[in-house]
Amino acid sequence: MRVFLPSTLPALAQALQAGQVGPGPVPGFAVTPSLREAYASGDEEELEYVAMTEAARASLRMLAQDPAAPPRRVVLAVEIPAEQVKLDARDKEPARVLISEAVPVECLASAHVDDAEAGADVRAAADALPAADAGDEDASFAVDGAEGYELGWYATQELPYLAG
């Protein structure tokens, strides 16, 4: 099962050093029955994009908690046996899942990361998240500004360079 894990560059470096993401349970995002229900149409690829977008928003939340981290959203795509994945859908996160145990780095399929040029908008979005969650339209606009950037795709062999 393809699962998207929210991360940051320091968290990626730590995972590569430890040989795993976690300990478990590890939160992630995947194509779930709740996500399929939320989108009346859309093929598997489109639904995976939605799940990845939810993971990118969760990465933004991680950046808000770690202001010293470089302001780049990081999403790790992993392949996990479905029996290790538990549904954990929430109102605004229908793709949310929990992976029962730590995820070995060998399960990583790719990473999706902001370009450095997105940094100022990503930092502004991370700072604006609490106000956006409270309904502030200007803050929501700042969050949308970061989400306007497409995440770049990185192969697993490129991850040490990103984390370095």
Side-chain angles (χ1 to χ4, degrees):
M1 176 177 204
R2 174 66 50 110
V3 180
F4 299 96
L5 307 178
S7 192
T8 63
L9 290 175
L12 172 60
Q14 182 179 13
L16 292 174
Q17 185 175 21
Q20 67 183 30
V21 178
V26 177
F29 298 85
V31 178
T32 64
S34 295
L35 182 65
R36 288 184 195 285
E37 186 177 308
Y39 289 84
S41 65
D43 62 19
E44 193 73 13
E45 188 174 313
E46 291 169 321
L47 293 173
E48 282 186 352
Y49 184 80
V50 172
M52 186 177 73
T53 301
E54 285 190 28
R57 174 69 68 103
S59 173
L60 203 56
R61 292 188 186 290
M62 293 172 75
L63 289 170
Q65 295 172 354
D66 184 4
R72 297 171 73 183
R73 296 169 299 160
V74 177
V75 175
L76 305 174
V78 299
E79 291 294 333
I80 298 293
E83 60 271 7
Q84 293 180 14
V85 179
K86 176 185 166 196
L87 301 178
D88 189 34
R90 298 177 181 179
D91 283 344
K92 295 185 179 186
E93 296 177 323
R96 187 175 167 86
V97 297
L98 288 174
I99 300 169
S100 58
E101 51 197 61
V103 178
V105 294
E106 294 81 31
C107 293
L108 295 176
S110 62
H112 305 268
V113 183
D114 276 311
D115 287 332
E117 70 185 31
D121 287 333
V122 169
R123 177 58 59 208
D127 293 344
L129 265 175
D133 289 344
D136 183 310
E137 289 184 27
D138 290 335
S140 293
F141 184 75
V143 172
D144 291 344
E147 292 178 349
Y149 290 93
E150 289 294 324
L151 300 176
W153 181 89
Y154 293 86
T156 56
Q157 63 267 29
E158 297 175 289
L159 300 184
Y161 301 108
L162 278 172

